Amino acid sequence: MIGFLALMWGNGPDGANLMISVLWFITLFTAILTHELGHALFARWYGMQPRIEIHGMGGVTIWQSMKRLDFRQRFVISFAGPGTGLVLAGLFFGLLQIPNLPALVHALLTMHLTVYIFLNLMNLLPIRPLDGAEVLSTLIGWKKGSVNEKIIDKVSFVTAAGCAAYAYISGFLILAVMAGYLAWRSYNAANPNARR
């Protein structure tokens, strides 16, 4: 595979590395964009005016409230981002079953499948500000009619702290630091007096 990419981009490893970097950039950008489009399309479906902002750490969909959304509608919008990504991951998996795909197409589909599954499943973790926390909050509200956001903050803290510990033990120090930061934020949100 590396040899093929080297031939496609250049004669040496630098050309192959550049080509692989470009493919990863395309994959990450499309994964973030389609995720946010999932949120935006369902927000528009419910009468909102959404806009998508892509930034260095990912993206966010913001919508202007034209009316008050109920818990069910908020649940659908929150789940739509990860849901869209996972549906597309299923499509990529199906396309990978086609025999005799060109090596470059196979590499790009494999990258997309891996990133779409990882990012969207990770995004469903009940950690603020990931979608999973809002999915959990709105699902509880939908079923019970109300939700105690402090409980969601506590769930977020425990989940993020667990992820930080697992990432640290596994040697993923950057992920451990990120999860630790989110755990700290959730702890402060759940215990506002602790900051005094």
Side-chain angles (χ1 to χ4, degrees):
M1 176 61 67
I2 296 296
F4 174 80
L5 293 175
L7 290 174
M8 287 294 294
W9 194 261
N11 293 325
D14 289 341
N17 289 339
L18 181 57
M19 184 61 171
I20 290 171
S21 297
V22 168
L23 292 178
W24 277 115
F25 174 80
I26 291 169
T27 301
L28 287 170
F29 180 78
T30 57
I32 292 167
L33 183 60
T34 53
H35 176 101
E36 298 305 333
L37 279 171
H39 291 307
L41 289 173
F42 279 89
R44 183 174 289 276
W45 176 267
Y46 289 124
M48 303 293 105
Q49 293 183 349
R51 79 174 189 275
I52 296 172
E53 295 180 0
I54 304 295
H55 50 74
M57 295 298 291
V60 64
T61 301
I62 302 167
W63 58 83
Q64 180 179 352
S65 295
M66 309 303 291
K67 61 179 181 178
R68 184 174 175 82
L69 296 174
D70 61 30
F71 282 114
R72 180 187 62 83
Q73 294 167 328
R74 287 172 47 204
F75 169 81
V76 170
I77 293 171
S78 299
F79 186 77
T84 299
L86 293 173
V87 167
L88 288 171
L91 173 65
F92 300 139
F93 178 79
L95 290 173
L96 280 167
Q97 307 313 306
I98 298 173
N100 302 319
L101 283 173
L104 185 60
V105 173
H106 190 275
L108 193 56
L109 286 172
T110 301
M111 288 177 176
H112 273 67
L113 176 62
T114 303
V115 169
Y116 275 59
I117 289 175
F118 175 77
L119 284 183
N120 289 290
L121 287 180
M122 184 185 72
N123 208 270
L124 282 172
L125 290 172
I127 301 172
R128 294 194 191 272
L130 303 179
D131 291 327
E134 183 66 12
V135 167
L136 178 61
S137 175
T138 55
L139 183 60
I140 292 171
W142 181 10
K143 297 302 179 186
K144 294 190 171 184
S146 65
V147 60
N148 184 340
E149 292 297 334
K150 293 299 179 193
I151 292 176
I152 305 300
D153 290 329
K154 290 176 182 177
V155 170
S156 176
F157 165 69
V158 170
T159 307
C163 288
Y166 178 78
Y168 179 77
I169 292 169
S170 301
F172 299 108
L173 297 183
I174 293 176
L175 287 177
V177 169
M178 291 173 64
Y181 171 71
L182 295 178
W184 176 77
R185 281 184 51 177
S186 296
Y187 178 81
N188 284 334
N191 303 280
N193 293 332
R195 287 175 285 184
R196 293 180 181 174

